[in-house]
Amino acid sequence: DYVELKLDSGEIELNGSKIKVIHPDTLVDGRLFMTLQNKGIFLKNPAGDTALYKKVQAPNLSAASLNTFAGTYTSAEAEASFTVITKNQKVIYQRSPDVEVELTPAFLDAFVDDDDWLYEFLRDKKGKVTGCAVSLSRAERVPFVKKPEVRSQK
């Protein structure tokens, strides 16, 4: 899950809705209290449920970066696989037999689909994409491993 907090024309917005400042480190939108902390933004809803949101970097939309996500991803845990391709500077999720969904950039190395599933691509220390963690309403960060590229020998 992710939220967008931004300053627009002197007003603070959370996911496009204006919110009130009630203390130098506390914001409220009528149902959520948000406390700014060193670790990020701490949210609390009326039921007492809490979540901590950390600041993330903006997406890198260069062709070189987007192309690093292309490949096939598998999960033993989910007993599923999917393929990612890039087409016209867009990241496309494909699943058999005929499912093809354009993913929307959310933050650096992360995308969402039309159902609000979050795809967080994982990189090794050298920057190579090695997997993807998929989060949806009933499961968080389900691990998928990127299959190694097969190169033909001459």
Side-chain angles (χ1 to χ4, degrees):
D1 200 14
Y2 71 98
V3 296
E4 180 181 36
L5 187 66
K6 69 178 184 177
L7 182 62
D8 185 30
S9 302
E11 301 212 5
I12 298 175
E13 294 182 358
L14 176 70
N15 294 337
S17 298
K18 290 182 179 24
I19 57 177
K20 294 179 185 177
V21 177
I22 61 172
H23 189 269
D25 68 352
T26 306
L27 311 168
V28 66
D29 79 344
R31 58 183 181 80
L32 290 175
F33 281 89
M34 294 154 269
T35 306
L36 307 176
Q37 301 178 348
N38 289 338
K39 297 178 187 176
I41 299 174
F42 184 76
L43 274 69
K44 184 176 181 181
N45 69 16
D49 297 326
T50 61
L52 178 65
Y53 288 84
K54 297 178 182 179
K55 185 175 181 178
V56 293
Q57 295 178 347
N60 180 348
L61 303 178
S62 71
S65 177
L66 296 178
N67 288 337
T68 63
F69 305 123
T72 299
Y73 297 80
T74 60
S75 173
E77 180 180 322
E79 297 179 355
S81 66
F82 63 88
T83 300
V84 171
I85 64 167
T86 55
K87 189 182 343 179
N88 301 323
Q89 291 287 115
K90 306 274 186 205
V91 175
I92 311 291
Y93 165 96
Q94 295 179 322
R95 189 180 72 240
S96 297
D98 297 325
V99 176
E100 187 170 291
V101 178
E102 181 180 323
L103 300 179
T104 303
F107 51 89
L108 185 63
D109 292 346
F111 298 82
V112 292
D113 66 16
D114 294 338
D115 293 322
D116 289 327
W117 289 22
L118 177 64
Y119 301 80
E120 295 178 87
F121 291 91
L122 311 171
R123 295 181 184 271
D124 63 16
K125 290 180 182 178
K126 295 180 181 178
K128 182 179 176 183
V129 175
T130 57
C132 183
V134 179
S135 297
L136 52 148
S137 62
R138 64 185 184 275
E140 189 172 314
R141 299 187 58 76
V142 177
F144 283 78
V145 175
K146 186 176 183 184
K147 286 187 175 180
E149 295 178 24
V150 178
R151 295 193 175 166
S152 60
Q153 295 179 343
K154 292 183 179 184

